Amino acid sequence: QYVLTQPPSASGSPGQSVTISCTGTSSDIGSYNYVSWYQQHPGKAPRAIIYDVTQRPSGVPSRFSGSRSGNTASLIVSGLQPEDEADYYCSSYAGSSIVFGGGTKLTVL
Amino acid sequence: EVVLEESGGRPVRPGESLRLSCAGSGFAFEQYGMSWVRQRPGKGLEWVSSTNWNAGTTIHAGPVKGRFTISRDNGKRLLFLQMNNLRVEDTASYYCAREALGRGAFRGSLTHWGLGTMVTVSS
């Protein structure tokens, strides 16, 4: 099982905004500024879209943003595009480990 | 351009050993923490092991502790994962990944990934 809790699915129409949550504890998300989000298309390697809670790697569109409140981190995808349909995973540093969520399948309707 | 290329994955029997390698290029390899992350077929991402810049500090996930060892050769720009006493449940694609910033430590901020190498453990 996975330490971080994500909803198994999310959906939205093109142009809409979608938020994916990632709930941890005070031992991981709540304690460290090292939450990351990864996008994975079928058969492809993961791609980082957010790191250090709010930072976007070079080349990631600005419609992807991250936030955190307490023990819950969120990925916000604004202005959904068809190519955003993918699996999304959150992760957090936890001091003596790195923990992942089970993933959220985002469907663009 | 940052490139990470894994190699060494192949079919093996339970109980056998395997060493995975990851070659890094396009960045100052010795300045970055590195990690291995795996993905079982049809499942999510699972962190395996991480090392700081000189392998002076390494950590391993519970299911692999005592069986897997992460190491690195900064002179050759290589990251390794020595996998001993392999089990059927270790069957997965194994990815090597680099930290976002050259701060030397590992923090799970994995901004660069390789394409992965497949390990299949079956009798």
Side-chain angles (χ1 to χ4, degrees), chain A residues 2 34 36 38 40 44-46 48 51-52 57 89 91 93 96-98 100, chain B residues 39 43-45 47 50 59 95 100 103 106-111 113-115:
Chain A
Y2 297 94
Y34 302 118
S36 298
Y38 304 98
Q40 188 178 35
K44 301 293 188 181
Y51 70 97
D52 292 0
Y89 297 91
S91 76
Y93 180 66
S96 57
S97 64
I98 294 166
F100 276 88
Chain B
Q39 187 170 34
K43 301 298 183 182
L45 302 176
W47 169 73
S50 296
I59 53 174
Y95 297 98
R103 45 198 169 196
F106 51 80
R107 289 295 181 262
S109 304
L110 306 175
T111 52
W113 294 62
L115 297 181

PDB file of all heavy atoms in Angstrom, chain A residues 2 34 36 38 40 44-46 48 51-52 57 89 91 93 96-98 100, chain B residues 39 43-45 47 50 59 95 100 103 106-111 113-115:
ATOM      1  N   TYR A   2       0.286   2.409  -0.244  1.00  0.00           N
ATOM      2  CA  TYR A   2       1.029   3.638  -0.406  1.00  0.00           C
ATOM      3  C   TYR A   2       0.826   4.541   0.800  1.00  0.00           C
ATOM      4  O   TYR A   2      -0.260   4.619   1.372  1.00  0.00           O
ATOM      5  CB  TYR A   2       0.602   4.337  -1.697  1.00  0.00           C
ATOM      6  CG  TYR A   2       0.922   3.501  -2.930  1.00  0.00           C
ATOM      7  CD1 TYR A   2      -0.027   2.653  -3.491  1.00  0.00           C
ATOM      8  CD2 TYR A   2       2.195   3.546  -3.484  1.00  0.00           C
ATOM      9  CE1 TYR A   2       0.284   1.874  -4.589  1.00  0.00           C
ATOM     10  CE2 TYR A   2       2.508   2.768  -4.591  1.00  0.00           C
ATOM     11  CZ  TYR A   2       1.549   1.934  -5.135  1.00  0.00           C
ATOM     12  OH  TYR A   2       1.864   1.170  -6.227  1.00  0.00           O
ATOM     13  N   TYR A  34       9.440  19.291   0.503  1.00  0.00           N
ATOM     14  CA  TYR A  34       9.943  18.460  -0.595  1.00  0.00           C
ATOM     15  C   TYR A  34       8.837  17.558  -1.127  1.00  0.00           C
ATOM     16  O   TYR A  34       8.963  16.332  -1.135  1.00  0.00           O
ATOM     17  CB  TYR A  34      11.136  17.633  -0.134  1.00  0.00           C
ATOM     18  CG  TYR A  34      12.279  18.470   0.386  1.00  0.00           C
ATOM     19  CD1 TYR A  34      12.717  18.354   1.707  1.00  0.00           C
ATOM     20  CD2 TYR A  34      12.911  19.397  -0.438  1.00  0.00           C
ATOM     21  CE1 TYR A  34      13.759  19.136   2.181  1.00  0.00           C
ATOM     22  CE2 TYR A  34      13.958  20.178   0.036  1.00  0.00           C
ATOM     23  CZ  TYR A  34      14.377  20.039   1.346  1.00  0.00           C
ATOM     24  OH  TYR A  34      15.408  20.808   1.807  1.00  0.00           O
ATOM     25  N   SER A  36       6.720  16.517  -4.411  1.00  0.00           N
ATOM     26  CA  SER A  36       6.861  16.510  -5.873  1.00  0.00           C
ATOM     27  C   SER A  36       5.641  15.865  -6.514  1.00  0.00           C
ATOM     28  O   SER A  36       4.934  15.076  -5.875  1.00  0.00           O
ATOM     29  CB  SER A  36       8.106  15.733  -6.297  1.00  0.00           C
ATOM     30  OG  SER A  36       9.284  16.318  -5.791  1.00  0.00           O
ATOM     31  N   TYR A  38       4.478  13.977 -10.321  1.00  0.00           N
ATOM     32  CA  TYR A  38       4.986  13.371 -11.541  1.00  0.00           C
ATOM     33  C   TYR A  38       3.823  13.011 -12.450  1.00  0.00           C
ATOM     34  O   TYR A  38       2.784  12.538 -11.991  1.00  0.00           O
ATOM     35  CB  TYR A  38       5.805  12.119 -11.219  1.00  0.00           C
ATOM     36  CG  TYR A  38       6.938  12.406 -10.253  1.00  0.00           C
ATOM     37  CD1 TYR A  38       6.797  12.156  -8.891  1.00  0.00           C
ATOM     38  CD2 TYR A  38       8.132  12.967 -10.704  1.00  0.00           C
ATOM     39  CE1 TYR A  38       7.811  12.439  -8.010  1.00  0.00           C
ATOM     40  CE2 TYR A  38       9.150  13.256  -9.819  1.00  0.00           C
ATOM     41  CZ  TYR A  38       8.985  12.998  -8.469  1.00  0.00           C
ATOM     42  OH  TYR A  38       9.992  13.306  -7.595  1.00  0.00           O
ATOM     43  N   GLN A  40       2.774  10.684 -15.786  1.00  0.00           N
ATOM     44  CA  GLN A  40       3.222   9.519 -16.538  1.00  0.00           C
ATOM     45  C   GLN A  40       2.179   9.121 -17.566  1.00  0.00           C
ATOM     46  O   GLN A  40       1.053   8.772 -17.214  1.00  0.00           O
ATOM     47  CB  GLN A  40       3.518   8.334 -15.615  1.00  0.00           C
ATOM     48  CG  GLN A  40       4.173   7.163 -16.342  1.00  0.00           C
ATOM     49  CD  GLN A  40       4.508   6.014 -15.413  1.00  0.00           C
ATOM     50  OE1 GLN A  40       3.788   5.730 -14.469  1.00  0.00           O
ATOM     51  NE2 GLN A  40       5.624   5.333 -15.690  1.00  0.00           N
ATOM     52  N   LYS A  44       5.369   5.221 -20.807  1.00  0.00           N
ATOM     53  CA  LYS A  44       6.461   6.214 -20.755  1.00  0.00           C
ATOM     54  C   LYS A  44       7.045   6.315 -19.362  1.00  0.00           C
ATOM     55  O   LYS A  44       6.451   5.884 -18.380  1.00  0.00           O
ATOM     56  CB  LYS A  44       5.951   7.587 -21.186  1.00  0.00           C
ATOM     57  CG  LYS A  44       5.362   7.628 -22.588  1.00  0.00           C
ATOM     58  CD  LYS A  44       6.426   7.387 -23.635  1.00  0.00           C
ATOM     59  CE  LYS A  44       5.870   7.613 -25.034  1.00  0.00           C
ATOM     60  NZ  LYS A  44       6.902   7.362 -26.076  1.00  0.00           N
ATOM     61  N   ALA A  45       8.227   6.924 -19.282  1.00  0.00           N
ATOM     62  CA  ALA A  45       8.842   7.182 -17.983  1.00  0.00           C
ATOM     63  C   ALA A  45       8.134   8.347 -17.300  1.00  0.00           C
ATOM     64  O   ALA A  45       7.548   9.212 -17.963  1.00  0.00           O
ATOM     65  CB  ALA A  45      10.320   7.506 -18.159  1.00  0.00           C
ATOM     66  N   PRO A  46       8.187   8.395 -15.983  1.00  0.00           N
ATOM     67  CA  PRO A  46       7.610   9.550 -15.272  1.00  0.00           C
ATOM     68  C   PRO A  46       8.335  10.840 -15.647  1.00  0.00           C
ATOM     69  O   PRO A  46       9.509  10.837 -15.984  1.00  0.00           O
ATOM     70  CB  PRO A  46       7.834   9.206 -13.799  1.00  0.00           C
ATOM     71  CG  PRO A  46       8.014   7.728 -13.779  1.00  0.00           C
ATOM     72  CD  PRO A  46       8.703   7.391 -15.060  1.00  0.00           C
ATOM     73  N   ALA A  48       8.721  14.857 -14.067  1.00  0.00           N
ATOM     74  CA  ALA A  48       8.430  15.753 -12.962  1.00  0.00           C
ATOM     75  C   ALA A  48       7.722  17.004 -13.467  1.00  0.00           C
ATOM     76  O   ALA A  48       8.160  17.610 -14.457  1.00  0.00           O
ATOM     77  CB  ALA A  48       9.719  16.139 -12.239  1.00  0.00           C
ATOM     78  N   TYR A  51       8.190  20.264  -8.149  1.00  0.00           N
ATOM     79  CA  TYR A  51       9.079  19.791  -7.089  1.00  0.00           C
ATOM     80  C   TYR A  51       9.155  20.869  -6.008  1.00  0.00           C
ATOM     81  O   TYR A  51       8.799  22.029  -6.250  1.00  0.00           O
ATOM     82  CB  TYR A  51      10.465  19.427  -7.635  1.00  0.00           C
ATOM     83  CG  TYR A  51      11.293  20.620  -8.087  1.00  0.00           C
ATOM     84  CD1 TYR A  51      12.235  21.184  -7.237  1.00  0.00           C
ATOM     85  CD2 TYR A  51      11.145  21.157  -9.361  1.00  0.00           C
ATOM     86  CE1 TYR A  51      13.002  22.262  -7.635  1.00  0.00           C
ATOM     87  CE2 TYR A  51      11.909  22.239  -9.770  1.00  0.00           C
ATOM     88  CZ  TYR A  51      12.835  22.786  -8.907  1.00  0.00           C
ATOM     89  OH  TYR A  51      13.594  23.854  -9.316  1.00  0.00           O
ATOM     90  N   ASP A  52       9.618  20.474  -4.837  1.00  0.00           N
ATOM     91  CA  ASP A  52       9.714  21.409  -3.709  1.00  0.00           C
ATOM     92  C   ASP A  52       8.400  22.183  -3.522  1.00  0.00           C
ATOM     93  O   ASP A  52       8.392  23.408  -3.366  1.00  0.00           O
ATOM     94  CB  ASP A  52      10.885  22.378  -3.900  1.00  0.00           C
ATOM     95  CG  ASP A  52      12.233  21.685  -3.803  1.00  0.00           C
ATOM     96  OD1 ASP A  52      12.242  20.454  -3.592  1.00  0.00           O
ATOM     97  OD2 ASP A  52      13.273  22.340  -3.947  1.00  0.00           O
ATOM     98  N   PRO A  57       9.762  22.455 -12.998  1.00  0.00           N
ATOM     99  CA  PRO A  57      11.001  22.265 -13.775  1.00  0.00           C
ATOM    100  C   PRO A  57      10.917  23.000 -15.101  1.00  0.00           C
ATOM    101  O   PRO A  57       9.821  23.296 -15.601  1.00  0.00           O
ATOM    102  CB  PRO A  57      11.042  20.749 -13.984  1.00  0.00           C
ATOM    103  CG  PRO A  57      10.149  20.174 -12.932  1.00  0.00           C
ATOM    104  CD  PRO A  57       9.082  21.204 -12.715  1.00  0.00           C
ATOM    105  N   TYR A  89       1.331  11.198  -9.941  1.00  0.00           N
ATOM    106  CA  TYR A  89       1.781  10.679  -8.660  1.00  0.00           C
ATOM    107  C   TYR A  89       2.371  11.796  -7.826  1.00  0.00           C
ATOM    108  O   TYR A  89       3.116  12.638  -8.337  1.00  0.00           O
ATOM    109  CB  TYR A  89       2.862   9.606  -8.850  1.00  0.00           C
ATOM    110  CG  TYR A  89       2.404   8.386  -9.596  1.00  0.00           C
ATOM    111  CD1 TYR A  89       2.531   8.302 -10.978  1.00  0.00           C
ATOM    112  CD2 TYR A  89       1.860   7.295  -8.918  1.00  0.00           C
ATOM    113  CE1 TYR A  89       2.120   7.184 -11.667  1.00  0.00           C
ATOM    114  CE2 TYR A  89       1.448   6.157  -9.596  1.00  0.00           C
ATOM    115  CZ  TYR A  89       1.575   6.108 -10.974  1.00  0.00           C
ATOM    116  OH  TYR A  89       1.164   4.985 -11.649  1.00  0.00           O
ATOM    117  N   SER A  91       4.754  12.672  -4.310  1.00  0.00           N
ATOM    118  CA  SER A  91       5.731  12.067  -3.426  1.00  0.00           C
ATOM    119  C   SER A  91       6.200  13.105  -2.419  1.00  0.00           C
ATOM    120  O   SER A  91       6.035  14.308  -2.627  1.00  0.00           O
ATOM    121  CB  SER A  91       6.925  11.510  -4.202  1.00  0.00           C
ATOM    122  OG  SER A  91       7.781  12.558  -4.616  1.00  0.00           O
ATOM    123  N   TYR A  93       9.452  13.755   0.706  1.00  0.00           N
ATOM    124  CA  TYR A  93      10.562  13.340   1.547  1.00  0.00           C
ATOM    125  C   TYR A  93       9.988  13.106   2.941  1.00  0.00           C
ATOM    126  O   TYR A  93       9.098  13.833   3.380  1.00  0.00           O
ATOM    127  CB  TYR A  93      11.606  14.445   1.571  1.00  0.00           C
ATOM    128  CG  TYR A  93      12.831  14.152   2.401  1.00  0.00           C
ATOM    129  CD1 TYR A  93      13.706  13.140   2.036  1.00  0.00           C
ATOM    130  CD2 TYR A  93      13.126  14.912   3.524  1.00  0.00           C
ATOM    131  CE1 TYR A  93      14.854  12.899   2.786  1.00  0.00           C
ATOM    132  CE2 TYR A  93      14.256  14.679   4.274  1.00  0.00           C
ATOM    133  CZ  TYR A  93      15.121  13.667   3.903  1.00  0.00           C
ATOM    134  OH  TYR A  93      16.241  13.419   4.637  1.00  0.00           O
ATOM    135  N   SER A  96      13.722   9.660   6.547  1.00  0.00           N
ATOM    136  CA  SER A  96      14.515   8.452   6.335  1.00  0.00           C
ATOM    137  C   SER A  96      13.981   7.639   5.168  1.00  0.00           C
ATOM    138  O   SER A  96      14.333   6.463   5.011  1.00  0.00           O
ATOM    139  CB  SER A  96      14.516   7.593   7.595  1.00  0.00           C
ATOM    140  OG  SER A  96      13.189   7.264   7.963  1.00  0.00           O
ATOM    141  N   SER A  97      13.143   8.247   4.383  1.00  0.00           N
ATOM    142  CA  SER A  97      12.588   7.568   3.219  1.00  0.00           C
ATOM    143  C   SER A  97      11.962   8.606   2.285  1.00  0.00           C
ATOM    144  O   SER A  97      11.892   9.794   2.610  1.00  0.00           O
ATOM    145  CB  SER A  97      11.522   6.548   3.617  1.00  0.00           C
ATOM    146  OG  SER A  97      10.408   7.196   4.207  1.00  0.00           O
ATOM    147  N   ILE A  98      11.542   8.130   1.154  1.00  0.00           N
ATOM    148  CA  ILE A  98      10.754   8.931   0.222  1.00  0.00           C
ATOM    149  C   ILE A  98       9.468   8.154  -0.012  1.00  0.00           C
ATOM    150  O   ILE A  98       9.518   6.944  -0.271  1.00  0.00           O
ATOM    151  CB  ILE A  98      11.516   9.152  -1.090  1.00  0.00           C
ATOM    152  CG1 ILE A  98      12.759  10.015  -0.827  1.00  0.00           C
ATOM    153  CG2 ILE A  98      10.604   9.827  -2.127  1.00  0.00           C
ATOM    154  CD1 ILE A  98      13.755  10.030  -1.963  1.00  0.00           C
ATOM    155  N   PHE A 100       5.514   7.710  -1.761  1.00  0.00           N
ATOM    156  CA  PHE A 100       4.704   8.028  -2.931  1.00  0.00           C
ATOM    157  C   PHE A 100       3.229   7.808  -2.640  1.00  0.00           C
ATOM    158  O   PHE A 100       2.857   7.042  -1.740  1.00  0.00           O
ATOM    159  CB  PHE A 100       5.087   7.120  -4.108  1.00  0.00           C
ATOM    160  CG  PHE A 100       6.277   7.599  -4.898  1.00  0.00           C
ATOM    161  CD1 PHE A 100       7.558   7.238  -4.515  1.00  0.00           C
ATOM    162  CD2 PHE A 100       6.113   8.392  -6.015  1.00  0.00           C
ATOM    163  CE1 PHE A 100       8.663   7.668  -5.249  1.00  0.00           C
ATOM    164  CE2 PHE A 100       7.208   8.824  -6.754  1.00  0.00           C
ATOM    165  CZ  PHE A 100       8.489   8.459  -6.360  1.00  0.00           C
TER     166      PHE A 100
ATOM    167  N   GLN B  39       8.661   0.390 -10.674  1.00  0.00           N
ATOM    168  CA  GLN B  39       7.236   0.332 -10.990  1.00  0.00           C
ATOM    169  C   GLN B  39       6.906  -1.082 -11.437  1.00  0.00           C
ATOM    170  O   GLN B  39       7.337  -1.520 -12.511  1.00  0.00           O
ATOM    171  CB  GLN B  39       6.877   1.343 -12.076  1.00  0.00           C
ATOM    172  CG  GLN B  39       5.388   1.458 -12.349  1.00  0.00           C
ATOM    173  CD  GLN B  39       5.062   2.627 -13.240  1.00  0.00           C
ATOM    174  OE1 GLN B  39       5.820   2.995 -14.132  1.00  0.00           O
ATOM    175  NE2 GLN B  39       3.904   3.252 -13.006  1.00  0.00           N
ATOM    176  N   LYS B  43       1.250  -1.148 -11.862  1.00  0.00           N
ATOM    177  CA  LYS B  43       1.154  -0.543 -10.539  1.00  0.00           C
ATOM    178  C   LYS B  43       1.776   0.851 -10.520  1.00  0.00           C
ATOM    179  O   LYS B  43       2.251   1.349 -11.538  1.00  0.00           O
ATOM    180  CB  LYS B  43       1.850  -1.440  -9.506  1.00  0.00           C
ATOM    181  CG  LYS B  43       1.270  -2.843  -9.432  1.00  0.00           C
ATOM    182  CD  LYS B  43      -0.198  -2.850  -9.009  1.00  0.00           C
ATOM    183  CE  LYS B  43      -0.727  -4.285  -8.883  1.00  0.00           C
ATOM    184  NZ  LYS B  43      -2.176  -4.289  -8.519  1.00  0.00           N
ATOM    185  N   GLY B  44       1.779   1.464  -9.332  1.00  0.00           N
ATOM    186  CA  GLY B  44       2.310   2.807  -9.186  1.00  0.00           C
ATOM    187  C   GLY B  44       3.804   2.842  -8.939  1.00  0.00           C
ATOM    188  O   GLY B  44       4.486   1.818  -8.944  1.00  0.00           O
ATOM    189  N   LEU B  45       4.305   4.045  -8.731  1.00  0.00           N
ATOM    190  CA  LEU B  45       5.723   4.239  -8.476  1.00  0.00           C
ATOM    191  C   LEU B  45       6.061   3.882  -7.037  1.00  0.00           C
ATOM    192  O   LEU B  45       5.291   4.167  -6.118  1.00  0.00           O
ATOM    193  CB  LEU B  45       6.107   5.696  -8.747  1.00  0.00           C
ATOM    194  CG  LEU B  45       5.831   6.209 -10.158  1.00  0.00           C
ATOM    195  CD1 LEU B  45       6.155   7.694 -10.260  1.00  0.00           C
ATOM    196  CD2 LEU B  45       6.613   5.416 -11.182  1.00  0.00           C
ATOM    197  N   TRP B  47       9.425   4.058  -4.368  1.00  0.00           N
ATOM    198  CA  TRP B  47      10.806   4.412  -4.091  1.00  0.00           C
ATOM    199  C   TRP B  47      11.581   3.208  -3.599  1.00  0.00           C
ATOM    200  O   TRP B  47      11.071   2.415  -2.800  1.00  0.00           O
ATOM    201  CB  TRP B  47      10.849   5.531  -3.049  1.00  0.00           C
ATOM    202  CG  TRP B  47      12.215   5.765  -2.514  1.00  0.00           C
ATOM    203  CD1 TRP B  47      13.265   6.358  -3.158  1.00  0.00           C
ATOM    204  CD2 TRP B  47      12.698   5.392  -1.229  1.00  0.00           C
ATOM    205  NE1 TRP B  47      14.367   6.378  -2.342  1.00  0.00           N
ATOM    206  CE2 TRP B  47      14.054   5.794  -1.157  1.00  0.00           C
ATOM    207  CE3 TRP B  47      12.134   4.756  -0.119  1.00  0.00           C
ATOM    208  CZ2 TRP B  47      14.842   5.582  -0.027  1.00  0.00           C
ATOM    209  CZ3 TRP B  47      12.910   4.541   1.000  1.00  0.00           C
ATOM    210  CH2 TRP B  47      14.253   4.959   1.041  1.00  0.00           C
ATOM    211  N   SER B  50      18.136   5.670  -2.249  1.00  0.00           N
ATOM    212  CA  SER B  50      18.687   6.983  -2.565  1.00  0.00           C
ATOM    213  C   SER B  50      20.089   7.109  -2.002  1.00  0.00           C
ATOM    214  O   SER B  50      20.433   6.468  -1.006  1.00  0.00           O
ATOM    215  CB  SER B  50      17.815   8.113  -1.987  1.00  0.00           C
ATOM    216  OG  SER B  50      16.534   8.123  -2.560  1.00  0.00           O
ATOM    217  N   ILE B  59      19.988   5.403   1.755  1.00  0.00           N
ATOM    218  CA  ILE B  59      18.808   4.844   2.414  1.00  0.00           C
ATOM    219  C   ILE B  59      18.114   3.891   1.451  1.00  0.00           C
ATOM    220  O   ILE B  59      18.206   4.051   0.229  1.00  0.00           O
ATOM    221  CB  ILE B  59      17.817   5.927   2.895  1.00  0.00           C
ATOM    222  CG1 ILE B  59      17.437   6.872   1.759  1.00  0.00           C
ATOM    223  CG2 ILE B  59      18.352   6.686   4.079  1.00  0.00           C
ATOM    224  CD1 ILE B  59      16.353   7.876   2.132  1.00  0.00           C
ATOM    225  N   TYR B  95      13.824   2.659 -12.517  1.00  0.00           N
ATOM    226  CA  TYR B  95      14.225   3.957 -13.037  1.00  0.00           C
ATOM    227  C   TYR B  95      15.292   4.573 -12.144  1.00  0.00           C
ATOM    228  O   TYR B  95      15.176   4.503 -10.909  1.00  0.00           O
ATOM    229  CB  TYR B  95      13.047   4.920 -13.067  1.00  0.00           C
ATOM    230  CG  TYR B  95      11.909   4.521 -13.976  1.00  0.00           C
ATOM    231  CD1 TYR B  95      10.779   3.877 -13.481  1.00  0.00           C
ATOM    232  CD2 TYR B  95      11.952   4.817 -15.341  1.00  0.00           C
ATOM    233  CE1 TYR B  95       9.719   3.528 -14.310  1.00  0.00           C
ATOM    234  CE2 TYR B  95      10.900   4.474 -16.181  1.00  0.00           C
ATOM    235  CZ  TYR B  95       9.788   3.827 -15.662  1.00  0.00           C
ATOM    236  OH  TYR B  95       8.751   3.492 -16.488  1.00  0.00           O
ATOM    237  N   ALA B 100      16.550  17.566  -8.126  1.00  0.00           N
ATOM    238  CA  ALA B 100      16.336  18.823  -8.836  1.00  0.00           C
ATOM    239  C   ALA B 100      17.545  19.742  -8.772  1.00  0.00           C
ATOM    240  O   ALA B 100      17.923  20.380  -9.750  1.00  0.00           O
ATOM    241  CB  ALA B 100      15.125  19.548  -8.246  1.00  0.00           C
ATOM    242  N   ARG B 103      22.411  20.094  -4.598  1.00  0.00           N
ATOM    243  CA  ARG B 103      22.686  20.393  -3.189  1.00  0.00           C
ATOM    244  C   ARG B 103      23.346  19.220  -2.487  1.00  0.00           C
ATOM    245  O   ARG B 103      23.469  19.218  -1.274  1.00  0.00           O
ATOM    246  CB  ARG B 103      21.390  20.807  -2.476  1.00  0.00           C
ATOM    247  CG  ARG B 103      20.181  19.939  -2.765  1.00  0.00           C
ATOM    248  CD  ARG B 103      18.850  20.625  -2.396  1.00  0.00           C
ATOM    249  NE  ARG B 103      17.701  19.877  -2.910  1.00  0.00           N
ATOM    250  CZ  ARG B 103      16.474  20.369  -3.004  1.00  0.00           C
ATOM    251  NH1 ARG B 103      16.225  21.600  -2.629  1.00  0.00           N
ATOM    252  NH2 ARG B 103      15.486  19.636  -3.492  1.00  0.00           N
ATOM    253  N   PHE B 106      19.866  13.977  -0.946  1.00  0.00           N
ATOM    254  CA  PHE B 106      18.656  13.496  -1.604  1.00  0.00           C
ATOM    255  C   PHE B 106      17.470  14.019  -0.811  1.00  0.00           C
ATOM    256  O   PHE B 106      17.498  14.047   0.426  1.00  0.00           O
ATOM    257  CB  PHE B 106      18.634  11.969  -1.707  1.00  0.00           C
ATOM    258  CG  PHE B 106      18.906  11.257  -0.408  1.00  0.00           C
ATOM    259  CD1 PHE B 106      17.906  11.118   0.532  1.00  0.00           C
ATOM    260  CD2 PHE B 106      20.149  10.732  -0.145  1.00  0.00           C
ATOM    261  CE1 PHE B 106      18.150  10.468   1.737  1.00  0.00           C
ATOM    262  CE2 PHE B 106      20.409  10.082   1.047  1.00  0.00           C
ATOM    263  CZ  PHE B 106      19.405   9.957   1.992  1.00  0.00           C
ATOM    264  N   ARG B 107      16.447  14.471  -1.568  1.00  0.00           N
ATOM    265  CA  ARG B 107      15.250  15.001  -0.928  1.00  0.00           C
ATOM    266  C   ARG B 107      13.991  14.509  -1.631  1.00  0.00           C
ATOM    267  O   ARG B 107      12.890  14.933  -1.309  1.00  0.00           O
ATOM    268  CB  ARG B 107      15.281  16.535  -0.926  1.00  0.00           C
ATOM    269  CG  ARG B 107      16.316  17.115   0.036  1.00  0.00           C
ATOM    270  CD  ARG B 107      15.997  16.807   1.478  1.00  0.00           C
ATOM    271  NE  ARG B 107      16.981  17.380   2.394  1.00  0.00           N
ATOM    272  CZ  ARG B 107      17.985  16.685   2.913  1.00  0.00           C
ATOM    273  NH1 ARG B 107      18.157  15.416   2.596  1.00  0.00           N
ATOM    274  NH2 ARG B 107      18.816  17.267   3.738  1.00  0.00           N
ATOM    275  N   GLY B 108      14.175  13.638  -2.610  1.00  0.00           N
ATOM    276  CA  GLY B 108      13.016  13.119  -3.326  1.00  0.00           C
ATOM    277  C   GLY B 108      12.461  14.068  -4.357  1.00  0.00           C
ATOM    278  O   GLY B 108      11.382  13.835  -4.889  1.00  0.00           O
ATOM    279  N   SER B 109      13.193  15.136  -4.659  1.00  0.00           N
ATOM    280  CA  SER B 109      12.762  16.082  -5.697  1.00  0.00           C
ATOM    281  C   SER B 109      13.403  15.634  -7.006  1.00  0.00           C
ATOM    282  O   SER B 109      14.429  16.150  -7.442  1.00  0.00           O
ATOM    283  CB  SER B 109      13.202  17.500  -5.326  1.00  0.00           C
ATOM    284  OG  SER B 109      12.718  17.873  -4.053  1.00  0.00           O
ATOM    285  N   LEU B 110      12.787  14.655  -7.642  1.00  0.00           N
ATOM    286  CA  LEU B 110      13.397  13.940  -8.770  1.00  0.00           C
ATOM    287  C   LEU B 110      12.937  14.536 -10.088  1.00  0.00           C
ATOM    288  O   LEU B 110      11.884  14.181 -10.612  1.00  0.00           O
ATOM    289  CB  LEU B 110      13.052  12.461  -8.666  1.00  0.00           C
ATOM    290  CG  LEU B 110      13.402  11.809  -7.322  1.00  0.00           C
ATOM    291  CD1 LEU B 110      12.903  10.371  -7.274  1.00  0.00           C
ATOM    292  CD2 LEU B 110      14.888  11.882  -7.058  1.00  0.00           C
ATOM    293  N   THR B 111      13.735  15.446 -10.625  1.00  0.00           N
ATOM    294  CA  THR B 111      13.305  16.170 -11.826  1.00  0.00           C
ATOM    295  C   THR B 111      13.783  15.552 -13.131  1.00  0.00           C
ATOM    296  O   THR B 111      13.322  15.943 -14.198  1.00  0.00           O
ATOM    297  CB  THR B 111      13.778  17.631 -11.774  1.00  0.00           C
ATOM    298  OG1 THR B 111      15.179  17.662 -11.506  1.00  0.00           O
ATOM    299  CG2 THR B 111      13.030  18.402 -10.689  1.00  0.00           C
ATOM    300  N   TRP B 113      14.637  11.795 -15.088  1.00  0.00           N
ATOM    301  CA  TRP B 113      14.465  10.359 -15.019  1.00  0.00           C
ATOM    302  C   TRP B 113      15.032   9.696 -16.276  1.00  0.00           C
ATOM    303  O   TRP B 113      14.998  10.273 -17.362  1.00  0.00           O
ATOM    304  CB  TRP B 113      12.983  10.002 -14.928  1.00  0.00           C
ATOM    305  CG  TRP B 113      12.307  10.443 -13.667  1.00  0.00           C
ATOM    306  CD1 TRP B 113      12.141  11.728 -13.230  1.00  0.00           C
ATOM    307  CD2 TRP B 113      11.686   9.602 -12.689  1.00  0.00           C
ATOM    308  NE1 TRP B 113      11.458  11.738 -12.032  1.00  0.00           N
ATOM    309  CE2 TRP B 113      11.163  10.454 -11.688  1.00  0.00           C
ATOM    310  CE3 TRP B 113      11.514   8.229 -12.556  1.00  0.00           C
ATOM    311  CZ2 TRP B 113      10.485   9.959 -10.563  1.00  0.00           C
ATOM    312  CZ3 TRP B 113      10.833   7.748 -11.458  1.00  0.00           C
ATOM    313  CH2 TRP B 113      10.327   8.597 -10.465  1.00  0.00           C
ATOM    314  N   GLY B 114      15.501   8.457 -16.106  1.00  0.00           N
ATOM    315  CA  GLY B 114      15.853   7.663 -17.258  1.00  0.00           C
ATOM    316  C   GLY B 114      14.613   6.975 -17.818  1.00  0.00           C
ATOM    317  O   GLY B 114      13.498   7.171 -17.317  1.00  0.00           O
ATOM    318  N   LEU B 115      14.822   6.181 -18.835  1.00  0.00           N
ATOM    319  CA  LEU B 115      13.702   5.467 -19.466  1.00  0.00           C
ATOM    320  C   LEU B 115      13.383   4.152 -18.776  1.00  0.00           C
ATOM    321  O   LEU B 115      12.352   3.540 -19.061  1.00  0.00           O
ATOM    322  CB  LEU B 115      14.024   5.220 -20.943  1.00  0.00           C
ATOM    323  CG  LEU B 115      14.188   6.476 -21.798  1.00  0.00           C
ATOM    324  CD1 LEU B 115      14.476   6.082 -23.242  1.00  0.00           C
ATOM    325  CD2 LEU B 115      12.958   7.365 -21.729  1.00  0.00           C
TER     326      LEU B 115
END
